[in-house]
Amino acid sequence: MSDEILVNVGPTETRDALIENGVLQEVYIERAQSRGFVGNIYKGKVIRVLPGMQAAFVDIGQDKAGFIHVADLAPRNEEGVEQRVGEQSDIRSFLREGQELLVQVIKDPISSKGARLTTHLSVSARYLVYMPFTDHIGISARIEDETERERLRSVISKLADEHKDEYKVGGFIVRTAAEGVSEEDFRADIPFVFRLWSDVEQAIKKAKAPAVVHEDLPLYMRTIRDLMRPNIEKVRIDSREAFQRMQKFAKHYAPEIGGKLEHYPGERPIFDLYGVEDELQKALEVRVSLKSGGYLLVEQTEAMTTIDVNTGAFVGHRNLEETIFKTNLEAAAAIARQLRLRNIGGIIILDFIDMVDPEHQRQVLRALEKNLERDRVKTSITGVSELGLVEMTRKRTRESLTQMLCEPCPVCKGRGKLKSPQTVCYEIFREILREARAYDSENFVVLASQVVIDRLLDEESANVADLEEFINGTIRFQVESIYHQEQYDIILSH
Ligand SMILES: [Zn+2]
């Protein structure tokens, strides 16, 4: 079997699924409304210079004019290299009204303000950002290892050098995502950004201000750019239009993958293939079933994620250690997959089932390491505690699947637990006592959910009778079907 990408293009969102050996491993989702303007390049026109604010308004063809501060201006010297402009410089010595200006959006417009702009232009690929008007290589500060920084610097210089004749070479910024990435993986990025920039130059020549000359690629195009690896044999796209645009794009930017693109005209939704839709639903749940009958519990909090491994309901005594060992081995593979699928980053604590045999412990750890190797996001096992907890980290990249698709539950407010009906009943009793004293009242109506009222009328009926006697009054009940389990009201009645 081979690896493949399924692309589901809809009017409101685009979803990419990476399938390895017939199994869903990674999901990428982009929603139309979350796409902003950041990264877009415009041929704009200066409409007002504001010396007092050291800023200017630039018409970029949007409803609201964009805004640029003097510190974001980068005039070029004779060699075409950008110069720094001090905060104190007079903006009038660089800009005048009516002047055309190439600008890039660094911050999206918000309700009252237009887009924030810069003249430092750049176009980006998977691992690097190309800046045509600078002459240096910068490495993301989040890559801290000095040897790794040096390695990346020399890889980039070398690859850029290979293209010296075709393109004039500018500067680069190496993204954090590049950490640990092989030279081979970088190789495609350099010609990619050069081609991209030469297209921007063409667009600049033709454009009449104000006009957009470069827009970031939609997700289904970025898929090709970011997910393509030699072992991917097929990219199936369920929209003919997107398929044709991808073909055109591939022809120009990545000819080697053009032949791998396929239009999927199927009647069946494309995400029904390999059960992708089902797997996606399951990836939002806490419990993950294992074939052996065991299961994982995946609990994500803001600080960390814990994954707990459990055996199935019945484990015989005779082969206990063997069953546990097998369950842990299966869990090791399942955990590695869940981390990718859910895109969980940060600190992760794995709680395997306790094993007596140290050789079993070693093998489970090795199985985990081996399965983590397929993950292109950097992971590292940082320790194994005496209790057998495995502590590891996985680099945070995009939002996790849950962050992207879910919001905290308004009923339990993220606790993941509800107060039991019994707890709610006792809260109601205390509240009735308080009100009986405060208002010198004796008759009440309790509005609550079905399950709480049921309990009040059944298991708690003796307690209700005692309470009525104590307050020397009556308590009536009324089901409010729209109330959730923790919700209730107590009404005084006369
Ligand atoms: Zn909840």
Side-chain angles (χ1 to χ4, degrees), residues 27 48 52 60 101 143 171 266 296 307 322 347 373 433 485 490:
V27 182
R48 250 184 97 194
I60 55 171
L101 193 66
I143 301 178
L296 308 178
I307 303 182
E322 198 58 27
I347 298 169
E373 275 170 21
L433 268 177
Q485 186 168 316
I490 294 164

Side-chain angles (χ1 to χ4, degrees), residues 409-418:
C409 169
V411 177
C412 73
K413 296 171 191 76
R415 251 182 290 142
K417 305 258 192 265
L418 287 179

Side-chain angles (χ1 to χ4, degrees), residues 34-48:
S34 63
R35 263 196 88 198
F37 300 95
V38 171
N40 286 4
I41 300 177
Y42 297 85
K43 188 188 245 185
K45 196 173 238 169
V46 179
I47 48 175
R48 250 184 97 194

Side-chain angles (χ1 to χ4, degrees), residues 110-223:
I110 45 169
S111 56
S112 61
K113 285 180 181 162
R116 178 87 188 258
L117 308 170
T118 180
T119 68
H120 293 275
L121 303 187
S122 64
V123 289
S124 52
R126 190 167 19 165
Y127 300 119
L128 50 83
V129 176
Y130 172 55
M131 300 169 298
F133 304 115
T134 69
D135 54 4
H136 59 271
I137 295 173
I139 313 277
S140 160
R142 280 165 62 202
I143 301 178
E144 287 170 4
D145 184 68
E146 213 29 69
T147 333
E148 177 64 1
R149 295 175 66 84
E150 263 323 301
R151 181 188 76 92
L152 289 169
R153 208 181 299 271
S154 71
V155 167
I156 298 297
S157 315
K158 183 180 154 215
L159 293 175
D161 238 35
E162 288 175 16
H163 292 273
K164 208 163 52 193
D165 302 334
E166 302 155 67
Y167 308 98
K168 57 170 188 255
V169 175
F172 297 94
I173 289 174
V174 179
R175 299 172 187 268
T176 315
E179 192 169 10
V181 162
S182 73
E183 181 179 325
E184 229 22 67
D185 277 341
F186 266 109
R187 193 162 286 277
D189 268 17
I190 303 254
F192 175 84
V193 288
F194 285 159
R195 265 172 247 163
L196 202 56
W197 178 250
S198 91
D199 284 356
V200 175
E201 283 184 313
Q202 292 299 316
I204 291 169
K205 269 184 214 144
K206 283 188 226 147
K208 215 173 147 318
V212 63
V213 292
H214 168 68
E215 279 178 290
D216 200 10
L217 304 167
L219 181 70
Y220 58 84
M221 306 272 242
R222 267 186 281 149
T223 309

Side-chain angles (χ1 to χ4, degrees), residues 413-452:
K413 296 171 191 76
R415 251 182 290 142
K417 305 258 192 265
L418 287 179
K419 288 179 192 165
S420 66
Q422 188 177 19
T423 302
V424 178
C425 288
Y426 295 174
E427 266 182 33
I428 289 171
F429 293 160
R430 281 194 299 275
E431 188 59 24
I432 288 175
L433 268 177
R434 184 180 305 131
E435 295 197 9
R437 286 194 190 107
Y439 300 105
D440 194 23
S441 173
E442 52 264 5
N443 301 317
F444 296 91
V445 182
V446 175
L447 310 182
S449 66
Q450 181 81 59
V451 27
V452 168

